[in-house]
Amino acid sequence: NAGVTQTPKFQVLKTGQSMTLQCAQDMNHNSMYWYRQDPGMGLRLIYYSASEGTTDKGEVPNGYNVSRLNKREFSLRLESAAPSQTSVYFCASRTGNNEKLFFGSGTQLSVL
Amino acid sequence: RKEVEQDPGPFNVPEGATVAFNCTYSNSASQSFFWYRQDCRKEPKLLMSVYSSGNEDGRFTAQLNRASQYISLLIRDSKLSDSATYLCVVSRLNSGYALNFGKGTSLLVTP
């Protein structure tokens, strides 16, 4: 099992460019999450999908959109990147409430 | 008040030492609790779940005090490989029970 796979691992964007971060899990998990991690801020929840077909905002959703394409895949889109979105992004999944999270290896995004 | 608070450290301890990390959470209705470990530039990985009765996994012991809304992690006989950031994690009751992370406590074990 690959677990949670994120692509790309690194990305540099110019302000105003758009991009999509891809995430897929092969563990048949119901719930998927996108977090961002900034120095001194800890991990903050951007969006989540509690089950296939549903998505909801987390703590810091502004500037992002998501798509739960199917049970396996949950993508994060930046429509018009801003320097404030420079961060490390982690996708995670789990089978249900109160269960542990499995993380992807992260995407280091820099917006110039 | 932040939902999950941890002492950021850093904690610098010699090999073989015992070290304890503390964490407090603000939502009394939180239901699940974990300690995650994060190495530099890597993804967080589950260290252990925290149960009401307390639980132990080798050199690691976790305690939960619901009345005080307090979680602890004790590491005995510290190894160099224990050097990492330890994240206290608590379920949140909105946001689909997504897990809420503390900012982490940095541990450096020295020879």
Side-chain angles (χ1 to χ4, degrees):
Chain A
N1 281 350
V4 180
T5 303
Q6 275 182 250
T7 56
K9 291 191 182 300
F10 303 95
Q11 183 72 49
V12 178
L13 294 177
K14 295 181 180 177
T15 297
Q17 286 185 316
S18 62
M19 78 160 296
T20 300
L21 281 64
Q22 306 287 351
C23 176
Q25 52 89 11
D26 61 4
M27 296 174 282
N28 202 35
H29 285 171
N30 293 317
S31 304
M32 298 185 73
Y33 306 85
W34 277 104
Y35 287 87
R36 60 178 287 175
Q37 186 173 33
D38 302 291
M41 297 296 292
L43 281 100
R44 292 182 292 170
L45 182 66
I46 305 171
Y47 268 93
Y48 68 99
S49 170
S51 61
E52 185 179 359
T54 68
T55 61
D56 286 284
K57 295 178 180 179
E59 188 182 352
V60 288
N62 291 345
Y64 305 95
N65 285 301
V66 291
S67 295
R68 183 75 182 266
L69 303 169
N70 47 54
K71 191 170 186 179
R72 291 186 62 248
E73 298 172 287
F74 188 40
S75 62
L76 178 71
R77 182 158 179 85
L78 287 70
E79 291 291 351
S80 179
S84 61
Q85 294 178 304
T86 293
S87 188
V88 179
Y89 291 85
F90 289 104
C91 177
S93 71
R94 63 178 177 171
T95 189
N97 294 344
N98 300 322
E99 298 299 319
K100 65 183 181 184
L101 276 175
F102 292 83
F103 282 88
S105 57
T107 297
Q108 174 73 63
L109 175 67
S110 296
V111 183
L112 305 177
Chain B
R1 179 182 173 189
K2 299 253 185 256
E3 289 193 51
V4 181
E5 295 203 58
Q6 295 182 250
D7 181 344
F11 284 62
N12 293 336
V13 302
E15 268 187 296
T18 295
V19 61
F21 303 141
N22 301 321
C23 170
T24 57
Y25 61 96
S26 61
N27 191 325
S28 61
S30 296
Q31 295 180 0
S32 55
F33 309 90
F34 306 90
W35 282 101
Y36 276 70
R37 169 191 169 130
Q38 186 173 28
D39 295 289
C40 187
R41 299 183 180 275
K42 300 282 190 180
E43 73 273 21
K45 292 185 177 178
L46 180 69
L47 178 65
M48 58 196 304
S49 302
V50 186
Y51 302 118
S52 296
S53 55
N55 49 297
E56 186 174 305
D57 182 2
R59 298 182 293 109
F60 300 86
T61 300
Q63 298 279 351
L64 169 63
N65 185 321
R66 286 187 182 272
S68 301
Q69 295 177 210
Y70 170 94
I71 304 162
S72 65
L73 176 68
L74 182 75
I75 305 175
R76 292 181 298 278
D77 188 22
S78 298
K79 311 293 185 190
L80 296 177
S81 57
D82 293 334
S83 298
T85 297
Y86 291 83
L87 306 173
C88 175
V89 185
V90 176
S91 63
R92 59 169 74 196
L93 298 188
N94 51 10
S95 298
Y97 291 85
L99 297 184
N100 193 9
F101 288 76
K103 294 181 181 180
T105 298
S106 177
L107 172 66
L108 179 62
V109 181
T110 55

